[in-house]
Amino acid sequence: MKKICIFGAGSVGGHMAARLAQAGLDVSVVVRGAHLAAIREHGLRLTAPDADFTVRVQASDNPADLGPQDLVISTLKAQSLGAAAAGLATLLKPDTPVVFAVNGIPWWYFHGLPDDGSGQPAATRLPRLDPEGLVWRHIGARRALGCVIRSPNELSAPGVVHSTSTTNTYTIGEPDNSASPRLAEIVATLRHGLPGARASQQIRRDIWAKLVLNVPSSLTCALTVSTAPELFAQEDTRELWRQLGNEANAVAAAHGIDAGFDLDAQISSGGKNRHPPSMLQDLLAGRPLELDAQMRAVQDLGRMAGVATPMLDVAVTLLAQRARSEFAASLRAKA
């Protein structure tokens, strides 16, 4: 794989692009606005505990400018995929795979699973994740691989990505859980610049293992404008975190996944990390929240399996209102 395009190279995608380009791979990025202008003028800079470097990468807000690719990695947020699908398709050769690195439940979730006997097509079982069918139509599930990223990054300035960790993992898997040749090739290629890349034959389990962290952390941090150490320090917010994690874990179990929610382990591993989760970053910046993929799809899957999610239902309703509140927007504007 010689040509790799990172589609939506913001904080997470920008980190990946910088590391891969520094390793000598032919990397291009699809970005917009001030970030694009800065990358074109100055290059893409990465600052991290173990690095500070700038790379030159081809960058455009029009995917068609970049030409056909051997691999596309989409780091767009789930709610942006439909609108971008036709543009992403211009990057594809007949055999180009697309790795979808998204938080939450992916649009292809039911593709590759055994027939459940309902007769309902995979594309229609979670309609909120691709309501107009644009991703299925323009890209298609046969190209898709899932990717679970654990890599805390922020855009510290246009064209500058700041990583707060030296341990970054990229778990990639086929929807049918196979150890396919293309999966092996993708992982081997990415490991040149991203040593944390690994193949998985249980990608849905990996998705849920991150979700049972994201559901409680995203909701509680965004609702309280706090980071994990502050919430873990208080008994009441720690208990709320536990209940949200338990609900997500129960939904996963009802769909045959042991997500392994363990509050004590989360406190041990992240209890001192004051990095704000992406949903809190988006809320403070006035950007759309990933509520459908991270939260509402979990509610949908719970209802499919008859699993109640009362705490999740309340928290999602409150956060959705906070995100659309004109009063909150006015406070951000004054800040």
Side-chain angles (χ1 to χ4, degrees):
M1 292 181 168
K2 297 180 179 179
K3 298 187 68 176
I4 301 173
C5 181
I6 310 294
F7 198 109
S11 57
V12 171
H15 176 251
M16 296 178 75
R19 294 282 191 185
L20 293 171
Q22 189 196 37
L25 297 174
D26 183 357
V27 178
S28 60
V29 297
V30 177
V31 290
R32 299 181 299 175
H35 193 40
L36 170 61
I39 291 172
R40 282 176 166 171
E41 184 174 356
H42 304 294
L44 175 61
R45 181 183 175 191
L46 175 69
T47 64
D50 62 342
D52 187 344
F53 62 85
T54 300
V55 292
R56 289 285 178 178
V57 295
Q58 188 178 1
S60 179
D61 55 3
N62 181 5
D65 292 343
L66 304 177
Q69 304 289 313
D70 298 313
L71 172 65
V72 175
I73 302 173
S74 172
T75 54
L76 289 175
K77 297 198 172 179
Q79 66 267 21
S80 301
L81 282 173
L88 193 155
T90 65
L91 298 167
L92 305 179
K93 297 187 290 187
D95 61 346
T96 302
V98 183
V99 173
F100 286 92
V102 295
N103 285 322
I105 301 295
W107 60 274
W108 53 261
Y109 187 84
F110 285 107
H111 173 71
L113 290 179
D115 187 352
D116 67 351
S118 69
Q120 191 175 3
T124 65
R125 297 194 64 192
L126 284 170
R128 75 167 69 250
L129 300 181
D130 186 22
E132 298 178 56
L134 296 173
V135 188
W136 285 86
R137 185 160 66 251
H138 288 292
I139 300 168
R142 69 176 182 83
R143 294 183 183 274
L145 295 94
C147 180
V148 176
I149 293 182
R150 295 176 184 265
S151 177
N153 303 278
E154 297 178 69
L155 278 180
S156 55
V160 182
V161 175
H162 178 62
S163 173
T164 62
S165 175
T166 57
T167 304
N168 301 279
T169 62
Y170 309 85
T171 303
I172 304 170
E174 293 276 8
D176 66 358
N177 294 326
S178 65
S180 68
R182 72 174 184 176
L183 173 59
E185 184 180 8
I186 289 168
V187 170
T189 299
L190 296 184
R191 285 184 65 85
H192 289 294
L194 302 170
R198 71 176 186 91
S200 171
Q201 275 71 67
Q202 298 185 71
I203 190 63
R204 289 173 187 80
R205 183 197 63 185
D206 300 308
I207 288 167
W208 278 104
K210 187 177 181 184
L211 258 177
V212 296
L213 170 61
N214 281 352
V215 166
S217 65
S218 294
L219 286 169
T220 56
C221 290
L223 282 171
T224 62
V225 192
S226 306
T227 58
E230 300 168 88
L231 296 169
F232 289 148
Q234 303 298 322
E235 183 178 352
D236 52 358
T237 50
R238 189 170 62 247
E239 181 57 26
L240 175 59
W241 186 300
R242 184 193 307 276
Q243 291 183 42
L244 288 166
N246 282 338
E247 287 185 3
N249 200 69
V251 174
H255 287 270
I257 303 291
D258 179 5
F261 174 69
D262 184 335
L263 178 59
D264 292 337
Q266 289 185 7
I267 293 172
S268 176
S269 64
K272 297 181 180 180
N273 184 1
R274 295 183 61 84
H275 177 79
S278 61
M279 193 166 289
L280 175 55
Q281 294 180 45
D282 289 342
L283 178 72
L284 295 176
R287 296 188 292 259
L289 306 186
E290 294 178 284
L291 288 175
D292 278 351
Q294 285 201 51
M295 309 299 164
R296 293 188 178 118
V298 175
Q299 292 174 291
D300 293 341
L301 289 165
R303 292 179 185 116
M304 286 182 194
V307 176
T309 55
M311 295 300 296
L312 178 59
D313 297 346
V314 170
V316 170
T317 299
L318 292 174
L319 184 54
Q321 175 57 33
R322 177 162 194 167
R324 61 178 172 254
S325 166
E326 294 181 6
F327 179 68
S330 70
L331 293 178
R332 282 195 299 269
K334 294 175 182 177

